[in-house]
Amino acid sequence: MASTIPDPRPGTERERAPLPAGDRPGRIEAHGIDHIPDSERHGRPRELFSVWAAANVNYLSLVIGGALVLMGLTLGQAIGVIVVGNLFWVLTGVLATSGPAAGAPSEVVTRTLYGVLGNRVNNAVGGWLVSVCYFALNLAAAATAAFALVEKTGVPVNTPVRIAVVVVIAALTLAISVYGHALIVALYLPITLALSGAFAVVALAVFRHADFSYTPAEPLSGAALWAVLLAGTTMIASGPLSYTTSADFSRYLPRTSSPRAIALWTALGAFVPSVVVCSLGALAATAVDMTDPQTALQAILPGWFVPVFLLALVLGTIAINALTAYSAGLALQAVGLRVRRTVSVLLDGAVAVALTLYGLLASNLLDTVSNALQAITVLTAPLMCVYATDIVLRRNRYDVAALSDETPGSPFWYTGGVNPAGAVALLGGVAAGALCVDSVYTGPVATAVGMDLSLPVGMAVATLLYAVLGRRTVAATLPAA
């Protein structure tokens, strides 16, 4: 057991304790989905700021920000969408509060929502599949920057070189994920500082060329404008709504950590860089053609800085994908795959690399990103809402021993291993959202109203259903006082 350094303030002793042997930057993390005992808790909520900041200074944010202007929005409208869409990081912060309270990752905490067996399905689809898809999208975005960097060395970027570049970036990413939590916390502050410096130079170049009074040749209005505003908000919100796993990175904090501080530092760490980088993409789109952002931005950047910029894009993607792969590995364990977390992370990486190569060699990146982000929110938005509603109903009170019990005698076995309240709320939210989609297909509600309402409708239905149906099951599974 790690010794503690006395602190006169109540509840802070463990915050100042040395890192436990199982969670040190130079060692592979010992824990997977198992409970983190109080003796191994450490850290402070403010550490979460750099974890989430480093993960949100990335190329995909530039792509999405530029896409909003390409969709026909004015600069002011695009920035408004960016701010509103990124406010969904508040929900990510709320979910992070469950980590220290339960001493478990999100993949285990959600047994309270869906039951032991129902949660395995949730982790297979809403956890593992969504994470792998995001890993592939981000990896494809980073690879385009890396290809340009390779070209500057004089090496022709043919198919074998493309494959090699993708594999190398994935390998660096997975190395961080395999070593795990302590390495992520240790690395992400310097990564945040490095990326902030690089993007400050990008910002100066963009500001010099941007048209701050930009309006499209044919401004949108009426229903057409609302349709694009909603579609754009859904694209931006898809990022925060995909992180139903934020407890994975807060679960090592002491049980006495302030929930408000956890939510604040998580949300703020993601919100600030996301708004800044997405806005830079929108501003750049007023001056250059952002259908090919990496090439377009090179035209307005100082020549000496272009290689640094390309490296920053790759580094930012490695940061966000290391979090994604880490959570995907935990999701595979929670599905029931009896392997070490390190093995599950490597399996995730192999699948993501295959999807990335398909996206780069056989598809259009911008179309793939736009369609995938809008479609994924049909699932992730209700998942986020059911989880957040459960936290509010139970006020972060968890029966720790019961969470680890996967037998039919567990309080979280519910009915046949499934919690009807959670299943109905999730499926109801997904079904309602699916009727309102207008991206990869057009649902009947979207056809009738002429716009995609899947995000607000799916979230509202899932929240309402669980708030009504979940009260009884939550009350029955609270720990004894």
Coordinates of all heavy atoms in Angstrom, one line a residue, residues 242-326:
S242 N -20.0 11.0 -27.9 CA -19.4 9.7 -28.1 C -18.7 9.3 -26.8 O -18.3 8.1 -26.7 CB -18.4 9.7 -29.2 OG -17.3 10.5 -28.9
Y243 N -18.4 10.2 -25.9 CA -17.6 9.9 -24.7 C -18.5 9.5 -23.5 O -18.5 10.2 -22.5 CB -16.7 11.0 -24.3 CG -15.4 11.0 -25.2 CD1 -15.3 11.9 -26.2 CD2 -14.4 10.1 -24.9 CE1 -14.1 11.9 -27.0 CE2 -13.3 10.0 -25.7 CZ -13.2 10.9 -26.7 OH -12.0 10.9 -27.5
T244 N -19.3 8.4 -23.7 CA -20.1 7.9 -22.6 C -19.1 7.1 -21.7 O -19.6 6.5 -20.7 CB -21.1 6.9 -23.1 OG1 -20.5 5.9 -23.9 CG2 -22.2 7.7 -23.9
T245 N -17.8 7.2 -21.9 CA -16.8 6.5 -21.1 C -15.9 7.4 -20.3 O -14.8 7.0 -19.9 CB -15.9 5.7 -22.1 OG1 -15.3 6.6 -23.1 CG2 -16.7 4.6 -22.9
S246 N -16.4 8.6 -20.0 CA -15.5 9.5 -19.3 C -15.1 9.1 -17.9 O -14.1 9.6 -17.4 CB -16.1 10.9 -19.3 OG -17.4 10.9 -18.8
A247 N -15.9 8.2 -17.3 CA -15.5 7.7 -16.0 C -14.2 6.9 -16.0 O -13.6 6.7 -15.0 CB -16.6 6.9 -15.4
D248 N -13.9 6.4 -17.2 CA -12.6 5.6 -17.3 C -11.4 6.4 -16.9 O -10.5 5.8 -16.4 CB -12.4 5.2 -18.8 CG -13.5 4.3 -19.3 OD1 -14.5 4.0 -18.6 OD2 -13.4 3.9 -20.5
F249 N -11.4 7.7 -17.1 CA -10.3 8.5 -16.8 C -10.3 9.2 -15.5 O -9.4 10.0 -15.1 CB -10.1 9.5 -18.0 CG -10.1 8.8 -19.3 CD1 -11.2 8.8 -20.1 CD2 -9.0 8.0 -19.7 CE1 -11.3 8.1 -21.3 CE2 -9.1 7.3 -20.9 CZ -10.2 7.4 -21.7
S250 N -11.5 9.1 -14.8 CA -11.6 9.7 -13.5 C -11.7 8.7 -12.3 O -11.6 9.1 -11.1 CB -12.9 10.6 -13.4 OG -14.0 9.8 -13.6
R251 N -11.7 7.4 -12.6 CA -12.0 6.4 -11.6 C -10.9 6.3 -10.6 O -11.1 5.7 -9.5 CB -12.3 5.1 -12.2 CG -11.2 4.3 -12.9 CD -11.7 3.2 -13.7 NE -10.7 2.2 -14.0 CZ -9.8 2.2 -15.0 NH1 -9.8 3.3 -15.8 NH2 -9.0 1.3 -15.2
Y252 N -9.7 6.7 -10.9 CA -8.6 6.6 -9.9 C -8.6 7.8 -8.9 O -7.8 7.8 -8.0 CB -7.2 6.6 -10.7 CG -6.8 5.3 -11.2 CD1 -7.1 4.9 -12.5 CD2 -6.1 4.4 -10.4 CE1 -6.7 3.7 -13.0 CE2 -5.7 3.2 -10.9 CZ -6.0 2.8 -12.2 OH -5.6 1.6 -12.7
L253 N -9.4 8.8 -9.1 CA -9.4 9.9 -8.2 C -10.0 9.4 -6.8 O -10.8 8.5 -6.8 CB -10.3 11.0 -8.7 CG -9.8 11.8 -9.9 CD1 -10.8 12.8 -10.5 CD2 -8.5 12.5 -9.6
P254 N -9.6 10.0 -5.7 CA -10.1 9.7 -4.4 C -11.6 9.8 -4.4 O -12.2 10.7 -5.0 CB -9.5 10.7 -3.5 CG -8.2 11.1 -4.2 CD -8.5 11.1 -5.6
R255 N -12.2 8.9 -3.6 CA -13.7 8.9 -3.5 C -14.2 10.3 -3.0 O -15.4 10.7 -3.3 CB -14.1 7.8 -2.5 CG -15.6 7.5 -2.4 CD -15.9 6.5 -1.3 NE -15.1 5.3 -1.4 CZ -15.5 4.2 -2.0 NH1 -16.7 4.2 -2.6 NH2 -14.7 3.2 -2.1
T256 N -13.4 11.0 -2.2 CA -13.8 12.3 -1.7 C -13.7 13.4 -2.6 O -14.0 14.6 -2.3 CB -13.0 12.6 -0.4 OG1 -11.6 12.5 -0.7 CG2 -13.3 11.6 0.7
S257 N -13.2 13.2 -3.8 CA -13.1 14.3 -4.8 C -14.4 14.9 -5.1 O -15.4 14.3 -5.2 CB -12.5 13.7 -6.1 OG -11.2 13.1 -5.9
S258 N -14.4 16.2 -5.3 CA -15.6 17.0 -5.6 C -16.2 16.6 -6.9 O -15.5 16.8 -7.9 CB -15.3 18.5 -5.5 OG -16.3 19.2 -6.1
P259 N -17.4 16.2 -6.9 CA -18.1 15.9 -8.2 C -18.2 17.1 -9.1 O -18.0 17.0 -10.3 CB -19.5 15.4 -7.8 CG -19.3 14.9 -6.4 CD -18.3 15.8 -5.8
R260 N -18.4 18.3 -8.5 CA -18.5 19.5 -9.3 C -17.1 19.8 -10.0 O -17.1 20.2 -11.2 CB -18.9 20.7 -8.4 CG -20.3 20.7 -8.0 CD -20.7 21.9 -7.3 NE -22.1 21.9 -6.8 CZ -22.7 22.9 -6.2 NH1 -22.0 24.0 -5.9 NH2 -24.0 22.8 -5.8
A261 N -16.0 19.6 -9.3 CA -14.7 19.8 -9.8 C -14.4 18.8 -10.9 O -13.9 19.2 -12.0 CB -13.6 19.7 -8.7
I262 N -14.8 17.6 -10.8 CA -14.6 16.5 -11.8 C -15.4 16.9 -13.1 O -14.8 16.9 -14.2 CB -15.1 15.2 -11.3 CG1 -14.2 14.7 -10.1 CG2 -15.1 14.1 -12.4 CD1 -14.7 13.5 -9.4
A263 N -16.6 17.3 -12.9 CA -17.4 17.6 -14.1 C -16.9 18.9 -14.7 O -16.8 19.0 -16.0 CB -18.9 17.9 -13.6
L264 N -16.5 19.9 -13.9 CA -16.0 21.1 -14.5 C -14.7 20.9 -15.3 O -14.6 21.4 -16.4 CB -15.7 22.1 -13.3 CG -15.1 23.4 -13.8 CD1 -16.0 24.2 -14.7 CD2 -14.7 24.3 -12.5
W265 N -13.7 20.3 -14.7 CA -12.4 20.1 -15.4 C -12.5 19.2 -16.6 O -11.8 19.5 -17.6 CB -11.4 19.6 -14.4 CG -10.9 20.6 -13.4 CD1 -11.1 20.5 -12.0 CD2 -10.3 21.9 -13.6 NE1 -10.6 21.7 -11.4 CE2 -10.1 22.5 -12.3 CE3 -9.8 22.5 -14.7 CZ2 -9.5 23.7 -12.2 CZ3 -9.2 23.8 -14.6 CH2 -9.1 24.4 -13.3
T266 N -13.4 18.2 -16.5 CA -13.6 17.4 -17.7 C -14.2 18.2 -18.8 O -13.7 18.2 -20.0 CB -14.5 16.2 -17.4 OG1 -13.8 15.4 -16.4 CG2 -14.8 15.4 -18.6
A267 N -15.3 18.9 -18.5 CA -16.1 19.6 -19.6 C -15.2 20.8 -20.1 O -15.2 21.0 -21.3 CB -17.4 20.1 -19.0
L268 N -14.6 21.5 -19.2 CA -13.8 22.7 -19.6 C -12.6 22.3 -20.5 O -12.3 22.9 -21.5 CB -13.4 23.5 -18.4 CG -13.0 24.9 -18.6 CD1 -14.1 25.7 -19.1 CD2 -12.5 25.5 -17.3
G269 N -12.0 21.2 -20.0 CA -10.8 20.7 -20.8 C -11.1 20.4 -22.2 O -10.3 20.5 -23.1
A270 N -12.3 19.9 -22.4 CA -12.7 19.5 -23.8 C -13.3 20.7 -24.5 O -13.1 20.9 -25.7 CB -13.7 18.3 -23.7
F271 N -14.2 21.4 -23.9 CA -14.9 22.5 -24.5 C -14.0 23.6 -25.1 O -14.2 24.0 -26.3 CB -15.9 23.2 -23.5 CG -16.6 24.3 -24.0 CD1 -17.8 24.2 -24.7 CD2 -16.2 25.6 -23.8 CE1 -18.5 25.3 -25.2 CE2 -16.9 26.7 -24.3 CZ -18.0 26.6 -25.0
V272 N -13.1 24.1 -24.3 CA -12.2 25.2 -24.8 C -11.5 24.9 -26.0 O -11.6 25.6 -27.0 CB -11.3 25.7 -23.6 CG1 -10.3 26.7 -24.2 CG2 -12.1 26.3 -22.5
P273 N -10.6 23.8 -26.1 CA -9.9 23.6 -27.3 C -10.8 23.2 -28.5 O -10.5 23.5 -29.6 CB -9.0 22.4 -26.9 CG -9.6 21.8 -25.8 CD -10.3 22.9 -25.0
S274 N -11.9 22.5 -28.2 CA -12.8 22.1 -29.3 C -13.4 23.3 -30.0 O -13.5 23.4 -31.2 CB -13.9 21.2 -28.7 OG -13.5 20.0 -28.3
V275 N -13.8 24.3 -29.2 CA -14.4 25.5 -29.7 C -13.3 26.3 -30.5 O -13.6 26.8 -31.6 CB -15.0 26.4 -28.6 CG1 -15.3 27.8 -29.2 CG2 -16.2 25.8 -28.0
V276 N -12.1 26.4 -30.0 CA -11.0 27.1 -30.6 C -10.7 26.5 -31.9 O -10.6 27.2 -33.0 CB -9.8 27.2 -29.7 CG1 -8.6 27.8 -30.5 CG2 -10.1 28.1 -28.5
V277 N -10.4 25.2 -31.9 CA -9.9 24.5 -33.2 C -11.0 24.5 -34.2 O -10.8 24.7 -35.4 CB -9.4 23.1 -32.8 CG1 -8.9 22.4 -34.1 CG2 -8.2 23.2 -31.9
C278 N -12.3 24.1 -33.8 CA -13.4 24.1 -34.8 C -13.6 25.5 -35.4 O -13.8 25.7 -36.6 CB -14.6 23.7 -34.1 SG -14.8 21.9 -33.8
S279 N -13.4 26.6 -34.6 CA -13.6 27.9 -35.1 C -12.5 28.3 -36.0 O -12.7 29.0 -37.0 CB -13.6 28.9 -33.9 OG -14.7 28.7 -33.0
L280 N -11.3 27.8 -35.8 CA -10.2 28.0 -36.7 C -10.5 27.4 -38.1 O -10.2 28.0 -39.1 CB -8.9 27.5 -36.2 CG -8.2 28.3 -35.1 CD1 -6.9 27.5 -34.6 CD2 -7.8 29.7 -35.6
G281 N -11.1 26.2 -38.0 CA -11.5 25.6 -39.3 C -12.5 26.4 -40.0 O -12.5 26.5 -41.3
A282 N -13.5 27.0 -39.3 CA -14.5 27.8 -39.9 C -13.9 29.1 -40.5 O -14.2 29.5 -41.6 CB -15.6 28.1 -38.9
L283 N -13.0 29.7 -39.7 CA -12.4 30.9 -40.2 C -11.6 30.7 -41.4 O -11.6 31.4 -42.4 CB -11.5 31.5 -39.1 CG -12.2 32.2 -38.0 CD1 -11.3 32.4 -36.8 CD2 -12.8 33.6 -38.5
A284 N -10.8 29.6 -41.4 CA -10.0 29.2 -42.6 C -10.8 29.0 -43.8 O -10.4 29.3 -44.9 CB -9.2 28.0 -42.3
A285 N -12.1 28.5 -43.6 CA -12.9 28.2 -44.8 C -13.4 29.4 -45.5 O -13.9 29.4 -46.6 CB -14.1 27.4 -44.3
T286 N -13.3 30.6 -44.8 CA -13.6 31.9 -45.5 C -12.5 32.4 -46.4 O -12.7 33.3 -47.1 CB -13.9 33.0 -44.4 OG1 -12.7 33.3 -43.7 CG2 -14.9 32.5 -43.4
A287 N -11.3 31.7 -46.3 CA -10.2 32.2 -47.1 C -9.6 31.1 -48.0 O -9.1 31.5 -49.1 CB -9.1 32.6 -46.1
V288 N -9.8 29.8 -47.7 CA -9.2 28.8 -48.5 C -10.3 27.7 -48.7 O -11.3 27.7 -48.0 CB -7.9 28.2 -47.9 CG1 -6.8 29.2 -47.8 CG2 -8.2 27.6 -46.5
D289 N -10.0 26.8 -49.6 CA -10.9 25.7 -49.9 C -10.7 24.5 -48.8 O -9.7 23.8 -48.9 CB -10.7 25.1 -51.3 CG -11.7 24.0 -51.6 OD1 -12.6 23.7 -50.8 OD2 -11.5 23.4 -52.7
M290 N -11.6 24.4 -47.9 CA -11.4 23.4 -46.8 C -12.0 22.1 -47.2 O -12.2 21.2 -46.3 CB -12.1 24.0 -45.5 CG -11.3 25.1 -44.9 SD -9.8 24.6 -44.2 CE -10.3 23.8 -42.6
T291 N -12.3 21.8 -48.4 CA -12.6 20.4 -48.8 C -11.3 19.6 -48.7 O -11.4 18.4 -48.6 CB -13.1 20.4 -50.3 OG1 -12.1 21.0 -51.2 CG2 -14.4 21.1 -50.4
D292 N -10.2 20.2 -48.7 CA -8.9 19.5 -48.5 C -8.1 20.4 -47.5 O -7.2 21.1 -47.8 CB -8.1 19.4 -49.8 CG -6.8 18.6 -49.6 OD1 -6.6 18.1 -48.5 OD2 -6.0 18.5 -50.6
P293 N -8.5 20.3 -46.2 CA -8.0 21.3 -45.2 C -6.4 21.2 -45.1 O -5.8 22.3 -45.0 CB -8.6 20.8 -43.9 CG -9.8 20.0 -44.3 CD -9.5 19.4 -45.6
Q294 N -5.9 20.0 -45.0 CA -4.4 19.9 -44.8 C -3.7 20.7 -45.9 O -2.7 21.4 -45.6 CB -4.1 18.5 -44.7 CG -2.6 18.2 -44.7 CD -2.1 17.7 -46.0 OE1 -2.6 16.9 -46.7 NE2 -1.0 18.3 -46.5
T295 N -4.1 20.5 -47.2 CA -3.4 21.2 -48.3 C -3.7 22.6 -48.3 O -2.8 23.5 -48.5 CB -3.8 20.5 -49.6 OG1 -3.5 19.1 -49.6 CG2 -3.1 21.2 -50.8
A296 N -4.9 23.0 -48.0 CA -5.4 24.4 -48.1 C -4.7 25.2 -47.1 O -4.2 26.3 -47.3 CB -6.9 24.5 -47.9
L297 N -4.5 24.7 -45.8 CA -3.9 25.5 -44.8 C -2.4 25.7 -45.0 O -1.9 26.7 -44.6 CB -4.1 24.8 -43.4 CG -5.6 24.9 -42.9 CD1 -5.8 24.0 -41.7 CD2 -5.9 26.3 -42.5
Q298 N -1.8 24.8 -45.7 CA -0.4 25.0 -46.0 C -0.1 26.2 -46.8 O 0.9 26.8 -46.7 CB 0.2 23.7 -46.7 CG 0.3 22.5 -45.8 CD 1.0 21.4 -46.6 OE1 2.1 21.5 -47.0 NE2 0.3 20.2 -46.7
A299 N -1.1 26.6 -47.6 CA -1.0 27.8 -48.5 C -0.9 29.1 -47.7 O -0.3 30.1 -48.2 CB -2.1 27.8 -49.5
I300 N -1.4 29.1 -46.5 CA -1.4 30.4 -45.7 C -0.5 30.3 -44.5 O -0.3 31.3 -43.8 CB -2.8 30.7 -45.2 CG1 -3.4 29.7 -44.3 CG2 -3.8 30.9 -46.4 CD1 -4.8 30.1 -43.7
L301 N 0.2 29.2 -44.3 CA 1.1 29.0 -43.2 C 2.5 29.4 -43.6 O 2.9 29.2 -44.8 CB 1.1 27.6 -42.6 CG -0.2 27.2 -41.9 CD1 -0.1 25.7 -41.6 CD2 -0.4 28.0 -40.6
P302 N 3.4 29.9 -42.7 CA 4.8 30.1 -43.0 C 5.4 28.8 -43.5 O 5.1 27.7 -42.9 CB 5.4 30.6 -41.7 CG 4.2 31.0 -40.9 CD 3.1 30.2 -41.3
G303 N 6.2 28.8 -44.5 CA 6.8 27.6 -45.1 C 7.6 26.8 -44.1 O 7.4 25.5 -44.0
W304 N 8.3 27.4 -43.2 CA 9.1 26.7 -42.1 C 8.2 26.0 -41.2 O 8.6 25.0 -40.5 CB 10.0 27.7 -41.4 CG 9.2 28.7 -40.6 CD1 8.8 29.9 -41.0 CD2 8.7 28.5 -39.2 NE1 8.1 30.6 -40.0 CE2 8.0 29.8 -38.9 CE3 8.7 27.5 -38.3 CZ2 7.4 29.9 -37.7 CZ3 8.1 27.7 -37.1 CH2 7.4 28.9 -36.8
F305 N 6.9 26.4 -41.0 CA 6.1 25.9 -40.0 C 5.2 24.7 -40.5 O 4.7 23.9 -39.7 CB 5.1 27.0 -39.5 CG 4.2 26.5 -38.4 CD1 4.7 26.3 -37.1 CD2 2.8 26.3 -38.7 CE1 3.8 25.8 -36.1 CE2 2.0 25.9 -37.7 CZ 2.5 25.7 -36.4
V306 N 5.2 24.5 -41.8 CA 4.3 23.5 -42.3 C 4.6 22.1 -41.8 O 3.7 21.4 -41.3 CB 4.4 23.5 -43.9 CG1 3.7 22.2 -44.4 CG2 3.7 24.7 -44.4
P307 N 5.9 21.7 -41.7 CA 6.2 20.3 -41.1 C 5.7 20.3 -39.7 O 5.3 19.2 -39.2 CB 7.7 20.2 -41.3 CG 8.1 21.1 -42.4 CD 7.1 22.3 -42.3
V308 N 5.9 21.4 -38.9 CA 5.5 21.4 -37.5 C 4.0 21.2 -37.4 O 3.5 20.5 -36.6 CB 6.0 22.7 -36.8 CG1 5.5 22.8 -35.4 CG2 7.5 22.8 -36.9
F309 N 3.3 21.9 -38.3 CA 1.8 21.9 -38.3 C 1.4 20.4 -38.6 O 0.5 19.9 -37.9 CB 1.3 22.8 -39.4 CG -0.2 22.6 -39.7 CD1 -1.1 22.9 -38.7 CD2 -0.6 22.2 -41.0 CE1 -2.5 22.8 -39.0 CE2 -1.9 22.1 -41.3 CZ -2.9 22.3 -40.3
L310 N 2.0 19.8 -39.6 CA 1.6 18.4 -39.9 C 1.9 17.5 -38.7 O 1.1 16.6 -38.4 CB 2.4 18.0 -41.2 CG 2.0 18.7 -42.4 CD1 3.0 18.3 -43.6 CD2 0.6 18.6 -42.8
L311 N 3.0 17.7 -38.1 CA 3.3 16.8 -36.9 C 2.3 17.1 -35.8 O 1.9 16.1 -35.1 CB 4.8 17.1 -36.4 CG 5.9 16.5 -37.2 CD1 7.2 17.1 -36.7 CD2 5.9 15.0 -37.0
A312 N 1.9 18.3 -35.6 CA 0.9 18.6 -34.6 C -0.4 18.0 -34.9 O -1.1 17.5 -33.9 CB 0.7 20.2 -34.5
L313 N -0.8 17.9 -36.1 CA -2.0 17.2 -36.5 C -2.0 15.7 -36.1 O -2.9 15.2 -35.6 CB -2.3 17.4 -38.0 CG -2.6 18.8 -38.5 CD1 -2.9 18.8 -40.0 CD2 -3.7 19.4 -37.7
V314 N -0.8 15.1 -36.4 CA -0.6 13.7 -36.1 C -0.6 13.5 -34.6 O -1.3 12.6 -34.0 CB 0.7 13.2 -36.7 CG1 0.9 11.7 -36.3 CG2 0.6 13.3 -38.2
L315 N 0.1 14.4 -33.8 CA 0.2 14.2 -32.4 C -1.2 14.4 -31.7 O -1.5 13.6 -30.8 CB 1.1 15.3 -31.8 CG 1.4 15.3 -30.3 CD1 1.9 14.0 -29.8 CD2 2.3 16.4 -29.9
G316 N -2.0 15.4 -32.2 CA -3.3 15.6 -31.6 C -4.2 14.4 -31.8 O -5.0 14.0 -30.9
T317 N -4.1 13.7 -33.0 CA -4.9 12.5 -33.2 C -4.4 11.4 -32.4 O -5.2 10.6 -31.9 CB -4.8 12.2 -34.7 OG1 -5.3 13.3 -35.5 CG2 -5.7 11.0 -35.0
I318 N -3.1 11.2 -32.2 CA -2.6 10.2 -31.3 C -3.2 10.4 -29.9 O -3.6 9.4 -29.3 CB -1.1 10.2 -31.3 CG1 -0.5 9.7 -32.6 CG2 -0.6 9.3 -30.1 CD1 1.0 9.8 -32.8
A319 N -3.3 11.6 -29.5 CA -3.8 11.9 -28.1 C -5.3 11.5 -28.0 O -5.6 10.8 -27.0 CB -3.6 13.4 -27.8
I320 N -6.1 11.8 -28.9 CA -7.5 11.5 -28.8 C -7.7 10.0 -29.0 O -8.5 9.4 -28.4 CB -8.4 12.3 -29.8 CG1 -9.8 12.2 -29.5 CG2 -8.1 12.0 -31.3 CD1 -10.8 13.1 -30.2
N321 N -7.0 9.4 -29.9 CA -7.2 8.0 -30.2 C -6.6 7.1 -29.1 O -7.1 6.0 -28.9 CB -6.5 7.6 -31.5 CG -7.5 7.7 -32.7 OD1 -8.7 7.9 -32.5 ND2 -7.1 7.5 -33.9
A322 N -5.7 7.6 -28.3 CA -5.2 6.8 -27.2 C -6.3 6.6 -26.2 O -6.5 5.6 -25.6 CB -3.9 7.4 -26.6
L323 N -7.1 7.7 -25.9 CA -8.2 7.6 -25.0 C -9.3 6.7 -25.6 O -9.8 5.9 -24.9 CB -8.8 9.0 -24.8 CG -8.0 10.1 -24.2 CD1 -8.9 11.3 -23.9 CD2 -7.3 9.6 -23.0
T324 N -9.5 6.8 -26.9 CA -10.5 6.0 -27.5 C -10.2 4.5 -27.5 O -11.0 3.7 -27.1 CB -10.7 6.4 -29.0 OG1 -11.1 7.8 -29.0 CG2 -11.8 5.6 -29.7
A325 N -8.9 4.2 -27.8 CA -8.5 2.8 -27.8 C -8.5 2.2 -26.3 O -8.8 1.1 -26.1 CB -7.1 2.7 -28.4
Y326 N -8.1 3.1 -25.4 CA -8.1 2.7 -24.0 C -9.6 2.2 -23.5 O -9.7 1.1 -23.0 CB -7.7 3.8 -23.1 CG -7.6 3.5 -21.6 CD1 -6.5 2.9 -21.1 CD2 -8.6 3.9 -20.8 CE1 -6.4 2.7 -19.7 CE2 -8.6 3.7 -19.4 CZ -7.5 3.1 -18.9 OH -7.4 2.8 -17.5

